[in-house]
Every structure is written in C-alpha cells, then in structure tokens.
Amino acid sequence: MTKIREIISAVESWVPVRQQEQWDNSGWQVAGCDPDDECSGLLTCVDVTPAVVAEAADRGCNLILSHHPLIFKGLKRLTGATQVEKSVMAAMRSGIAVYASHTALDVAPAVGLSHEMGRRLGLRDMKVLAPRESGLLKLVTFVPHDYADSVAEAVHAAGAGCIGRYDRCSYRVAGTGTFRALEGSNPFVGETGSDHAEPETRIEIILPAHRKNAVEAAIRSSHPYEEPAFDFYRLENENPALGLGITGTLPEPTDVTEFVNLVKKAYNAPAVRCSGWSGTVRRVALCTGSGGEFITLARSMGADAYITSDVRYHDFVDHGQSLLIVDTGHFESEACCKEVFSRIISEKFPNFAVYSSRVEKNPVTFM
C-alpha cells in the first residue's frame, strides 16, 4: 500500500521543491484528497487541463503529477470561467490531488529535463549551461579524532561533499576543543563541572542548501557528543551541478541538415524553426522550455548550435548568423518530463504503475 505522500517524497528526494526559481509555484496545487491516502494510481502530464483530470478519473488515479504548475497566480474565485478554474474544480470533485515539479525539475542535477534531452541527442561531457549563482552551504563541525571518518561518512551519505565530478570531498585539520559540562548533562568525554580539552578534527564539507536538514540530522545521529558543535555558512560560489540548460559534445561533427533531423527525432517535433547559420555542428547547448535568454551565453561557451523554444524574432535576427538556433516548440521540449517522472518513481516503487497522459497534446497546431 503506497501513500500519495510517499510518491511525492520519492520525487522530492531527487527534485526538492525548494530548488525552484523564486518566481515559480512548484509543489502541491490541489488537495483533492488526503496525502496520507493510498495512491490508487498516478497520471503524469505536461499541463493539467479538464481533459487530463477526466483521464485521471477514468483510469482510477487519485494523483496527477505535472510539469507546469496548474496555479501560477492566486485564484480569486472558482466559477469555472477559465481552464485553470475548471481543472481545479474537476480535481476537487473527483478527489484527485495535483502536484507540479516545474523549475525544480528543470535545474535538478542529472535528472533535469535538459540532461534528459542531452542524453537523447547522444551528447557527451555534459555540463550545466547556466549554473545557479547561490544555493551552496559549507558545513564545519568538530569531532573526536576516532569518530571523524564515521561522521564524515554519514554526512556524505546525506548528500554533502560533491564538487563537480568528485564526491566524498572534505577538508580536515587537527585541533583542540574545550568545554565544561554543566549539571544535568551527559558528557561523552570529560567530567561534569570540570573544564575539558579534547583532541578533535575540524571537518569542512560543501553541500547544496536543500540538503541542509538531512545533513544536520546525519550529524546529530552519528556524532558521539550529545551537543555536537557545527556551523553552516552560506556561500556565493556557483553551483556547477545545479542550474538551467546543459552543454555537451556530439560524438562526431554533423552537418546542419543531419543535426536538425536528429533534433526533430529526439524531441518528437514535427517541425522546428531554425536560423540560417551554416557550418558543422559539434558543440551543442540546449535549454528545455523558454530559454532564449541564454543564446549569448551558449555562444560564449563555444556552442555551434543552441536548442530551446519560444525564441523571439529579434533573437534570430541578432544571433542567428553566429550559431545555429533551433526552436523545437515549448511542448516538445518538455514532454520528456513524463518519462523522467516515471523513472524516478519506478526506482523507488518498482511495482507501482505510472501512467502517461494520452489525451494531452501540443496546444499549438502546425498547418
């Protein structure tokens, strides 16, 4: 028996809602049922519409997991006058919960949508295109020498210590910790009421901010002291693993026509908009969703081609001769979210059936 809350916890273990962009509204959208209810079925989609809600009800699903938030702005009324209002009302009437993972999924290390499309294109040596400028903390803690390894091990297991392509990273230096245990304490070393000096190891480890609670819990559970000393410092470093878009390299140089056909196949796009650039494509940058703002960044990083959607006319005019711009369409660039959601959930619950919406389609029609 798998609860709705357990399904969402599995998603958030990979895609914490706290890592979304400030303007976004990822997370719970509609509580059509209790999150502690058994999940009777899960339907994934890009957008929640009345048709998608009806499909979930027909399939017996009481949870919808979408990429785009159903609610972006506050609702002042529920009269059924808009598609959003109709969808919310239908979900409530049908007892269906709705959860969205939008930019939280876009920026997620390894499992984000841009990484998924990069893999489908066969890109190698992928790196984040626009790393998050904040979101890193440094942990400093002090541990008796004999326990330094076990505490560091627990902290690493909680998600700390990753720097680029290295993990289990830490800095350690020996020192002396001093304290006096007061009445009512239970000191691991030393005597109550007496000053004590203990040889200790200072451990410094970097971590994503969204792992802070898990790392703190790991320290408290593994540290021998009843009151472990630790500090979290906020860093201004870029987080190279967290951010929007990716860059990568094709296995072989590819001409424009062959590359565009590769993109259309990977994105399942019937047609794409392209700039008039001519040349050979090897270095590729991409950003799923609306990523026109990163065109100049892609070029500055040596990209021959940049794939995104919702590109403005003047971006084609200003930059289209500097690199190949490929606009796949917004829906096509993010439809892979359904497979990503399914993979995340199936890893935790291998026998749980995840359905992908069959009724939703690109709202933009090509004629």
Side-chain angles (χ1 to χ4, degrees), residues 37-217:
D37 287 349
E38 178 181 359
C39 187
S40 60
L42 167 64
L43 184 71
T44 62
C45 62
V46 178
D47 297 290
V48 180
T49 64
V52 169
V53 176
E55 180 184 13
D58 290 343
R59 287 178 174 267
C61 299
N62 62 353
L63 176 61
I64 295 175
L65 178 55
S66 70
H67 183 48
H68 290 149
L70 172 58
I71 302 171
F72 254 121
K73 301 177 181 178
L75 294 175
K76 295 184 178 180
R77 60 189 65 83
L78 283 174
T79 63
T82 68
Q83 287 288 93
V84 172
E85 291 178 21
K86 290 176 182 177
S87 300
V88 172
M89 294 167 66
M92 294 295 292
R93 290 190 185 116
S94 300
I96 296 173
V98 180
Y99 184 96
S101 184
H102 188 211
T103 56
L105 178 60
D106 290 336
V107 303
V111 300
L113 299 191
S114 291
H115 285 84
E116 174 67 18
M117 295 314 302
R119 284 188 288 270
R120 294 188 183 190
L121 289 167
L123 298 185
R124 300 173 178 176
D125 301 320
M126 289 191 290
K127 297 180 180 179
V128 173
L129 172 64
R132 184 71 63 81
E133 293 184 357
S134 59
L136 288 175
L137 301 176
K138 176 175 283 189
L139 163 71
V140 177
T141 189
F142 309 89
V143 188
H145 292 325
D146 290 344
Y147 292 84
D149 287 343
S150 59
V151 171
E153 182 69 30
V155 170
H156 290 320
C162 294
I163 301 177
R165 296 185 180 181
Y166 296 82
D167 66 359
R168 304 173 64 80
C169 302
S170 70
Y171 178 77
R172 307 184 191 189
V173 63
T176 302
T178 62
F179 51 84
R180 182 174 67 176
L182 301 179
E183 194 68 33
S185 63
N186 182 27
F188 178 74
V189 290
E191 301 294 333
T192 301
S194 300
D195 288 328
H196 180 78
E198 181 69 19
E200 293 179 341
T201 300
R202 173 188 172 109
I203 303 175
E204 299 183 13
I205 301 179
I206 201 168
L207 65 140
H210 70 265
R211 302 304 301 171
K212 177 177 179 290
N213 291 342
V215 169
E216 181 174 339

Side-chain angles (χ1 to χ4, degrees), residues 16-24 102-109 128-136 209-210 235-245 294:
V17 70
R18 288 171 292 180
Q19 69 186 24
Q20 68 178 321
E21 298 293 326
Q22 292 183 350
W23 50 264
D24 200 7
H102 188 211
T103 56
L105 178 60
D106 290 336
V107 303
V128 173
L129 172 64
R132 184 71 63 81
E133 293 184 357
S134 59
L136 288 175
H210 70 265
L235 304 179
E236 295 187 2
N237 309 48
E238 286 187 342
N239 186 343
L242 188 73
L244 294 169
F294 300 126

Side-chain angles (χ1 to χ4, degrees), residues 273-304:
R273 296 193 301 154
C274 301
S275 65
W277 181 86
S278 60
T280 301
V281 179
R282 183 70 187 273
R283 185 74 176 165
V284 178
L286 67 89
C287 181
T288 57
S290 301
E293 64 191 283
F294 300 126
I295 293 176
T296 54
L297 176 61
R299 184 54 187 153
S300 71
M301 296 181 70
D304 303 307

Side-chain angles (χ1 to χ4, degrees), residues 256 273-278 315-317 319-327:
V256 170
R273 296 193 301 154
C274 301
S275 65
W277 181 86
S278 60
D315 286 331
F316 280 106
V317 172
H319 308 292
Q321 298 303 313
S322 299
L323 77 169
L324 176 65
I325 300 172
V326 183
D327 186 327

